Amino acid sequence: MLEDLMGQSNAMQEKMQEELSSIFISHELEGIVMKGNAAGVVTDLSIDDKLLKPENKEMIEDLMTCIQEFSKKANEASQGISQKMLGDMIGGGFGNLFG
């Protein structure tokens, strides 16, 4: 029973991630445009050429990669905590009914 509930929880989380990944988000601020999805994945970062010095381009690309990796780690941590809390809630809530 607990395995079924955990399986359903995992399936729900996967579905939620799929839905979040399909929601497009874009934000612009003073010549900087960031695009991504509601799952927190940055897919594009553009900076108006007037703001960008050529020697800074590689640093900005590295910054975007860092933001992307940070976002992935944050989402993974959030999913892990959600699964643990659900497991604790289900285990604690039903554990005494059968024992």
Side-chain angles (χ1 to χ4, degrees):
M1 181 174 159
L2 181 59
E3 289 178 13
D4 289 340
L5 290 173
M6 291 300 288
Q8 289 176 0
S9 170
N10 289 340
M12 287 174 54
Q13 283 190 327
E14 287 176 15
K15 183 178 179 182
M16 182 176 73
Q17 281 300 103
E18 287 176 20
E19 288 185 32
L20 290 172
S21 294
S22 71
I23 299 170
F24 174 76
I25 297 173
S26 178
H27 185 75
E28 183 173 352
L29 178 65
E30 298 181 19
I32 301 169
V33 179
M34 184 175 281
K35 297 177 182 179
N37 62 39
V41 176
V42 177
T43 57
D44 187 37
L45 175 68
S46 61
I47 301 172
D48 189 306
D49 288 339
K50 293 179 234 174
L51 301 173
L52 183 62
K53 295 180 182 178
E55 61 270 16
N56 292 337
K57 185 176 182 190
E58 186 175 334
M59 179 192 67
I60 292 171
E61 289 171 347
D62 289 344
L63 175 61
M64 184 177 154
T65 300
C66 185
I67 291 169
Q68 179 77 12
E69 292 301 315
F70 176 86
S71 178
K72 285 180 187 177
K73 288 180 180 181
N75 283 330
E76 289 170 4
S78 175
Q79 288 177 3
I81 289 173
S82 294
Q83 287 178 349
K84 181 185 180 310
M85 290 177 74
L86 180 62
D88 290 348
M89 182 177 68
I90 291 171
F94 293 118
N96 295 332
L97 290 175
F98 303 110

